[in-house]
Each structure stands twice: as structure tokens, then as C-alpha cells.
Amino acid sequence: MYDAILVPTDGSEAAMDAAKHAFSHGERYDATVHVLSVLETSESAAIVGRGNEKLETLREQGDESTRRIVDEARERDIDAVGAIEFGNPDRAILGYAADNDIDLIVMSTHGRSGVGRFLMGSVTEQVIRDGDVPVLAVQR
């Protein structure tokens, strides 16, 4: 049913919770788990004029959060690959899903509602709304 599963990560424990669900599906369907860290364009734009140190720090953080999930998947004998992209998170996630024939996206949601949701927005909600790939939203 699923050959390729995508887990976007921001390095949070909520993302690790989502990864555990992805591992379960990966084991059940013998699917490859793709782990994606998106470094937001707005953060990248904020570093202009500050040199490459901030950019490198962001890249290292993305690499670490991606590697953590990939390593855990491989410990469970699940095929896993990691990637880092720059840009708007929901667009980068959907673009990666399209480019890599992803069958399922498993991602966390913080369960915000009301004003918090309005002010903060929801990457998960945007992916669900704008994408054509099934999304398993894991609420923390």
C-alpha cells in the first residue's frame, strides 16, 4: 500500500512522535522512510549580511534532526533517506513528496486552535489542504 513515507522534521519531540508512527507503517509495508528538514526561507533571509555562520548553524541543526530519525529507522531495519531543503515548509514538503513519489506523509501537529492557530498558522494544515498525498497528522 505504501512504498515511500515522508516524515518532515523540525527536530522537536513532536516530530519524533510522528516518526514512530512512520516507522510502524514502514515496517508493516516494507516502505522507505524519507526524512525531510526544511530550513525556512524567512530564517535564511534574516541571515543576509550576517555571514555564513548562521546559515551553517541552521544547516547543522537540520542535518542533526534528520540524521537522528534516519539512524533510528535503520536500527529498526527500515530503509531510510534524509534530505534538507530551503524554503517555505509546506511548499517544500509537498514538492519533495511529488518529486519522490511519496505515498504517505506522517507529520506532527501541536493541536493549536483559535487565536494561536490563526497567528502561528499550521504547516500540517497547509499540507493537508494543498496536497494530494494522504497525511497522517500525529497530535502531541
Side-chain angles (χ1 to χ4, degrees):
M1 177 169 217
Y2 303 116
D3 294 320
I5 299 169
L6 174 59
V7 180
T9 182
D10 60 2
S12 68
E13 287 305 311
M16 281 304 297
D17 289 346
K20 291 174 186 171
H21 287 273
F23 297 157
S24 175
H25 282 71
E27 290 170 335
R28 180 173 186 185
Y29 297 106
D30 194 29
T32 299
V33 173
H34 294 249
V35 183
L36 176 64
S37 179
V38 179
L39 305 178
E40 290 190 57
T41 305
S42 59
E43 287 185 44
S44 302
I47 63 173
V48 172
R50 293 170 138 187
N52 289 329
E53 290 178 25
K54 181 69 174 172
L55 178 62
E56 191 56 36
T57 298
L58 289 172
R59 186 183 303 276
E60 287 172 7
Q61 290 170 345
D63 186 52
E64 176 59 33
S65 61
T66 301
R67 188 175 355 157
R68 181 176 158 204
I69 295 173
V70 168
D71 289 348
E72 187 169 333
R74 289 179 178 162
E75 286 175 14
R76 296 173 182 233
D77 290 326
I78 300 168
D79 289 333
V81 295
I84 298 173
E85 295 201 4
F86 288 89
N88 177 287
D90 53 274
R91 283 184 253 161
I93 291 165
L94 291 172
Y96 185 93
D99 292 345
N100 292 278
D101 297 320
I102 298 297
D103 302 304
L104 175 67
I105 301 171
V106 181
M107 55 192 306
S108 64
T109 179
H110 295 283
R112 290 185 186 98
S113 62
V115 175
R117 185 174 182 183
F118 176 75
L119 294 174
M120 298 291 289
S122 170
V123 173
T124 304
E125 183 178 351
Q126 283 298 132
V127 169
I128 291 169
R129 187 177 346 179
D130 296 341
D132 57 1
V133 175
V135 177
L136 172 58
V138 178
Q139 186 170 340
R140 178 151 177 146

